[in-house]
Amino acid sequence: MARCMPLLASLLLLALAGVASADKAPESGFIVTGRVYCDPCRAGFETNVSKNVEGATVAMDCRPFGGGESKLKAEATTDNKGWYKIEIDRDHQDEICEVVLTKSPDASCAEIEEFRDRARVPLTSNNGMKQQGTRFANPIAFFPKEPRKECGGILQAYDLKDAPENP
């Protein structure tokens, strides 16, 4: 047992260092983080030609479940890897909260498609989730007006071609 004590002490120290360096959510609030990318194939998911979008603007929008005015509007800008971070100061249990694309810095990939421009994020501690503080939103994408020429082959590699008419 005495031989294990230095190892256990080291592991405990590493665990405490990890907790100390983690992003701290505001008191009784949350940090929402996610990523924005350009979908040059207009596939609706990331492919090997997707690129992160630096300098994109996103907004957090929380509104009552039954509809009505937004209760929260907060904005953030993506970093050089396409990641954003938004600090939320309180619980939004009775609201639907979504991160929504607002502006792309890249004119060649700036199209926003309705319903594909947002990621819903639960901002309450009263939902059975063990994780507190940080919420991760799904990646969201801007689109070019037309898909790139090589996208047909790329999507075929993902085996997403249309099913044959006569099997």
Side-chain angles (χ1 to χ4, degrees):
M1 181 69 177
R3 295 166 86 193
C4 294
M5 291 306 281
L7 178 61
L8 290 174
S10 297
L11 289 174
L12 180 61
L13 188 61
L14 283 172
L16 290 174
V19 169
S21 67
D23 282 334
K24 298 284 188 224
E27 191 67 32
S28 74
F30 303 93
I31 293 174
V32 176
T33 187
R35 199 166 44 80
V36 176
Y37 69 98
C38 176
D39 180 358
C41 292
R42 300 182 63 93
F45 56 87
E46 292 181 84
T47 63
N48 58 340
V49 293
S50 297
K51 301 284 185 224
N52 296 325
V53 180
E54 178 180 0
T57 306
V58 297
M60 173 60 71
D61 181 29
C62 294
R63 61 193 183 288
F65 279 104
E69 295 292 314
S70 289
K71 300 281 187 174
L72 169 73
K73 272 281 202 204
E75 284 193 348
T77 303
T78 57
D79 65 15
N80 62 340
K81 293 188 170 132
W83 286 91
Y84 60 85
K85 186 178 356 178
I86 305 172
E87 289 191 11
I88 307 299
D89 63 354
R90 65 178 181 85
D91 197 284
H92 290 269
Q93 178 175 333
D94 297 324
E95 297 160 24
I96 296 171
C97 295
E98 297 175 313
V99 178
V100 183
L101 294 173
T102 56
K103 186 174 181 213
S104 173
D106 180 0
S108 68
C109 192
E111 193 168 304
I112 296 173
E113 286 193 6
E114 190 176 12
F115 304 117
R116 294 172 80 183
D117 65 337
R118 59 195 60 229
R120 192 167 287 185
V121 183
L123 293 180
T124 181
S125 297
N126 190 20
N127 61 1
M129 293 176 68
K130 188 173 183 178
Q131 172 200 30
Q132 298 298 316
T134 301
R135 297 290 189 258
F136 295 94
N138 287 331
I140 46 181
F142 287 104
F143 301 93
K145 289 200 182 297
E146 297 294 326
R148 289 171 41 177
K149 290 182 182 4
E150 68 270 20
C151 286
I154 290 168
L155 295 178
Q156 281 184 345
Y158 286 100
D159 200 22
L160 295 174
K161 55 190 175 282
D162 292 332
E165 292 179 20
N166 297 318

